[in-house]
Amino acid sequence: MGSMDTTTKLLNNHEIVDEYGLNLKILPCNNQVKELQTILRDKNTTRSDFKFYADRLIRLVIEESLNQLPFTKCVVTTPTGAKYKGLKYQKGNCGVSIVRSGEAMEQGLRDCCRSIRIGKILVESDMDTHEARVVYAKFPDDISERKVLLMYPIMSTGNTVIKAIAVLKEHNVLEENIILSNLFCTPIAAKSLVTAFPKMKILTSEIHTVAPNHFGQKYFGCTRVITETSNIQEKDS
């Protein structure tokens, strides 16, 4: 892999554990992942290319997030009649997307788990105070008994996600049963989340001081594009 400047240098495993604990994991980085991240940050990327490459990165993050779910051993019979000792997901998984940008990750989850149920949470941020409030939430009736993949692509402060997790906990979802799937996360957001919810697992593709807050607008084709900024405000929702 080529060299990276100090702002984009990946943390090694020991640094991640020391800073954020054992439950935050970063997608293993290679040239392909770095290229996808670069394309999504490039202001010259067209909307069609943006969506195509965003879906690729989403799929990689979802696949790695699914590795955090519990499996059970099983034995199947092959077409030749042989027995094969394998694994299968334990029952009781579901997805929850934080509207709107989190909905971009729903298809990636359905592509991996074709019949999985998906709930939604809508959190709005006050334009002046940036305080988040829940507007709408709809979940499977038995969500308290399920493992939950919470989907939200961009985290600048973590305020939106913190509010969404509070709603899940109000519905009796155990903190340790939540897996947060994310594409881009700032150090401030990561620290806030692991401090507030130390038992929750977090999977992201990158921790960087600047989050591409234009993601939702570019992905869904909105005319209003928010410029990438480093002032650490949750602008995607």
Side-chain angles (χ1 to χ4, degrees):
M1 184 182 297
S3 61
M4 302 178 188
D5 60 44
T6 56
T7 61
T8 58
K9 183 179 65 175
L10 290 175
L11 298 172
N12 63 41
N13 289 335
H14 293 298
E15 290 174 324
I16 294 170
V17 171
D18 290 344
E19 185 69 21
Y20 304 110
L22 292 170
N23 283 335
L24 186 145
K25 302 180 186 299
I26 297 179
L27 184 72
C29 190
N30 51 40
N31 289 341
Q32 176 186 205
V33 170
K34 196 64 184 177
E35 182 194 32
L36 295 176
Q37 294 167 341
T38 303
I39 291 171
L40 296 183
R41 289 181 177 275
D42 188 348
K43 68 178 183 180
N44 295 317
T45 300
T46 65
R47 192 241 162 180
S48 60
D49 282 350
F50 185 94
K51 189 175 185 303
F52 176 81
Y53 291 107
D55 286 340
R56 283 186 58 193
L57 185 59
I58 287 168
R59 179 65 179 261
L60 293 173
V61 169
I62 291 294
E63 292 274 12
E64 191 63 28
S65 298
L66 292 173
N67 283 333
Q68 312 305 314
L69 292 172
F71 290 80
T72 56
K73 294 181 180 180
C74 67
V75 178
V76 298
T77 303
T78 72
T80 61
K83 299 296 183 182
Y84 179 80
K85 296 179 180 179
L87 296 173
K88 64 179 179 179
Y89 285 124
Q90 289 184 6
K91 292 183 178 179
N93 303 318
C94 74
V96 171
S97 64
I98 302 177
V99 180
R100 180 182 189 192
S101 61
E103 292 176 305
M105 304 179 75
E106 290 182 4
Q107 189 58 50
L109 179 57
R110 288 194 176 99
D111 288 343
C112 298
C113 306
R114 60 187 305 182
S115 61
I116 194 167
R117 300 184 66 183
I118 297 179
K120 295 179 185 289
I121 301 176
L122 173 58
V123 180
E124 289 186 347
S125 296
D126 186 276
M127 293 298 292
D128 297 321
T129 65
H130 303 292
E131 182 179 352
R133 65 184 183 91
V134 176
V135 177
Y136 171 83
K138 184 173 178 60
F139 309 126
D141 293 337
D142 60 348
I143 192 169
S144 63
E145 303 171 13
R146 295 174 179 260
K147 299 283 186 179
V148 177
L149 268 72
L150 183 62
M151 297 174 286
Y152 196 58
I154 310 298
M155 295 191 297
S156 292
T157 66
N159 290 342
T160 296
V161 174
I162 287 173
K163 183 65 69 173
I165 295 169
V167 175
L168 290 173
K169 295 183 75 171
E170 288 172 4
H171 285 74
N172 299 316
V173 177
L174 298 177
E175 186 178 312
E176 55 265 37
N177 285 346
I178 302 172
I179 301 168
L180 175 60
S181 298
N182 168 258
L183 301 186
F184 299 97
C185 181
T186 67
I188 288 176
K191 196 66 175 179
S192 295
L193 287 165
V194 299
T195 300
F197 309 108
K199 297 179 182 178
M200 178 182 70
K201 291 185 174 66
I202 302 172
L203 195 288
T204 185
S205 88
E206 184 181 46
I207 294 179
H208 193 284
T209 54
V210 180
N213 291 309
H214 63 285
F215 182 93
Q217 286 74 27
K218 193 76 172 277
Y219 187 94
F220 291 108
C222 300
T223 56
R224 183 172 66 93
V225 177
I226 294 177
T227 305
E228 195 175 43
T229 180
S230 60
N231 63 357
I232 314 301
Q233 293 178 357
E234 197 81 52
K235 295 183 177 177
D236 198 42
S237 65

